[in-house]
Amino acid sequence: MANIVHVVGTGTIGEPMIGLLEDDRDAFGIDEVTFHKRTPLREERAKVADLIRRGASLAVDPDRADGFRELGLEPAFEADEAIERASVVIDCTPAGNANKARSYEGSAGPLGFLAQGSEFGFGKMYARGINDEALVRGEDRFVHVVSCNTHNIAVLIKSLAMDPDGTSHLESGRFLCMRRANDISQDGSFVPSPTVGTHGDEQFGTHHARDAHGLFATLGYDLPVFSSAIKINTQYMHALHFSLTLDQDMTVDEAIDRLRANTRVALTYKRSANQIFSFGRDHGHFGRILSQTVIPFETLAVRGGNELVGFCFTPQDGNALLSSLAATLWYLYPGGFEDRIDVIRPYLFREV
């Protein structure tokens, strides 16, 4: 059978996801990439046309097909047809749970379905390099790729608070997510000044810590984590302040050695989002850093011998794109896929 990947949505995650899959399709062992666009919009015609030019096939809802044809875009499939013929479906919309109830649960064709970010409850939580061993073949047909900031929190914990054998030394983890206002591709939702969030979860604060807890819970951990969030009037990058209290002492040098040992961590001398964002624009995969986190190691400090504090930056959709790709290849290649992902390893930077 052909390996067909269908992407739902062409927004800030969907568009680069389609491009990533299509541009390195042969290396990934994917035969065909299709994508669903819900609304025919004149201002997005060029984007859709270019995705088609790069080799992906357009799927639309039947009642909107004529609207796409009026824009000069010829659909290749109807939406439900594209889902049924796919091997893996990657939902990149904020309606993953609704789409699961409406379409995915009754679909017999795909091996697996992925949802992104905020779609809590869609399926087993997953982040590349954090809980790969938690995925169970034949059982996990629905997988929730956690948000970019949750990726960041998770890799900090795994690198700094856990030993290679999995022993956790975390007594308390506190995280302040300083979120960019919106993506550079978006005009709406920008804030004119820093805007603080609420702590809607009594145990975890915001969904970032809740999701990190759920991610590690798939491996049997019950981690004491708490997060807060503030939205900042910038479009560049999310930033994160962290405080990890351990049950053992650790020096800054030891912390840096641990970070260097994780191939999904990028260290940097840069301390501004614009410099790191610019590096990604010039050297990343179509402008994206695929590492889990970028840490200005000079911000690391130790308080009281066992509390590690510091700042780091979140490569936005880059870490989620990597996890979505890894989960897709996990479905397609039960015998292993590590050699197939080699083509994008250069964008997991060790230094920025």
Side-chain angles (χ1 to χ4, degrees):
M1 294 179 63
N3 288 330
I4 301 172
V5 180
H6 179 59
V7 180
V8 181
T10 60
T12 57
I13 295 290
E15 181 181 7
M17 189 80 250
I18 299 162
L20 175 67
L21 293 169
E22 185 57 51
D23 290 347
D24 291 310
R25 183 162 54 86
D26 291 341
F28 298 146
I30 295 171
D31 298 302
E32 185 180 352
V33 178
T34 63
F35 68 98
H36 176 255
K37 180 81 170 72
R38 185 168 64 91
T39 306
L41 298 172
R42 190 170 301 276
E43 64 268 27
E44 295 191 351
R45 176 172 58 187
K47 172 175 73 175
V48 176
D50 193 61
L51 291 173
I52 294 172
R53 180 193 64 79
R54 289 158 75 176
S57 299
L58 173 65
V60 303
D61 298 322
D63 60 343
R64 302 195 176 191
D66 287 342
F68 282 94
R69 293 190 180 100
E70 290 173 3
L71 295 178
L73 300 169
E74 183 62 35
F77 304 101
E78 293 186 357
D80 289 343
E81 176 190 10
I83 293 172
E84 282 297 334
R85 65 190 299 276
S87 308
V88 179
V89 174
I90 307 175
D91 193 311
C92 299
T93 74
N97 282 320
N99 290 337
K100 176 183 178 181
R102 182 172 57 249
S103 302
Y104 303 157
E105 288 182 317
S107 178
L111 299 169
F113 297 86
L114 310 177
Q116 308 289 323
S118 61
E119 297 305 289
F120 185 77
F122 183 87
K124 181 171 286 183
M125 290 183 167
Y126 172 69
R128 168 76 166 165
I130 303 299
N131 68 330
D132 298 85
E133 62 268 37
L135 295 181
V136 179
R137 203 166 298 282
E139 175 181 315
D140 292 320
R141 194 175 184 227
F142 295 93
V143 169
H144 171 202
V145 176
V146 296
S147 73
C148 53
N149 278 320
T150 300
H151 274 80
N152 197 344
I153 290 172
V155 76
L156 289 172
I157 292 172
K158 186 157 187 176
S159 299
L160 295 172
M162 291 185 172
D163 292 337
D165 64 2
T167 301
S168 174
H169 298 281
L170 186 66
E171 291 190 338
S172 175
R174 298 290 300 270
F175 306 92
L176 173 60
C177 301
M178 294 165 280
R179 303 179 60 236
R180 63 177 182 177
N182 61 355
D183 187 81
I184 57 171
S185 66
Q186 299 171 324
D187 291 323
S189 300
F190 193 80
V191 296
S193 64
T195 304
V196 297
T198 61
H199 296 102
D201 189 298
E202 181 179 356
Q203 181 178 359
F204 300 113
T206 68
H207 79 86
H208 310 92
R210 178 203 65 191
D211 291 357
H213 180 275
L215 184 67
F216 282 101
T218 65
L219 299 173
Y221 296 99
D222 180 14
L223 297 182
V225 290
F226 190 89
S227 60
S228 304
I230 179 172
K231 186 179 285 190
I232 298 176
N233 48 332
T234 178
Q235 288 187 303
Y236 283 138
M237 299 184 77
H238 303 309
L240 192 74
H241 178 266
F242 60 90
S243 168
L244 303 175
T245 301
L246 310 178
D247 64 5
Q248 61 181 9
D249 286 354
M250 185 177 296
T251 66
V252 169
D253 287 342
E254 288 172 337
I256 292 173
D257 287 343
R258 282 174 170 258
L259 293 170
R260 290 193 190 281
N262 193 320
T263 58
R264 294 170 184 86
V265 171
L267 294 175
T268 186
Y269 287 95
K270 299 176 174 65
R271 286 188 285 161
S272 68
N274 64 315
Q275 289 184 332
I276 295 170
F277 183 89
S278 178
F279 179 93
R281 179 192 62 186
D282 294 334
H283 303 283
H285 188 279
F286 287 92
R288 288 170 173 82
I289 295 170
L290 301 185
S291 308
Q292 302 276 26
T293 185
V294 180
I295 301 179
F297 68 88
E298 291 177 320
T299 70
L300 291 172
V302 174
R303 179 173 177 268
N306 68 330
E307 181 188 1
L308 296 174
V309 296
F311 288 95
C312 56
F313 293 91
T314 301
Q316 277 86 256
D317 46 20
N319 52 27
L321 288 172
L322 176 64
S323 291
S324 295
L325 173 63
T328 296
L329 296 180
W330 178 80
Y331 282 118
L332 297 180
Y333 292 99
F337 61 85
E338 292 299 326
D339 58 329
R340 297 186 179 276
I341 214 166
D342 282 345
V343 67
I344 62 167
R345 290 192 199 277
Y347 307 105
L348 275 77
F349 296 100
R350 306 308 307 278
E351 183 177 7
V352 166

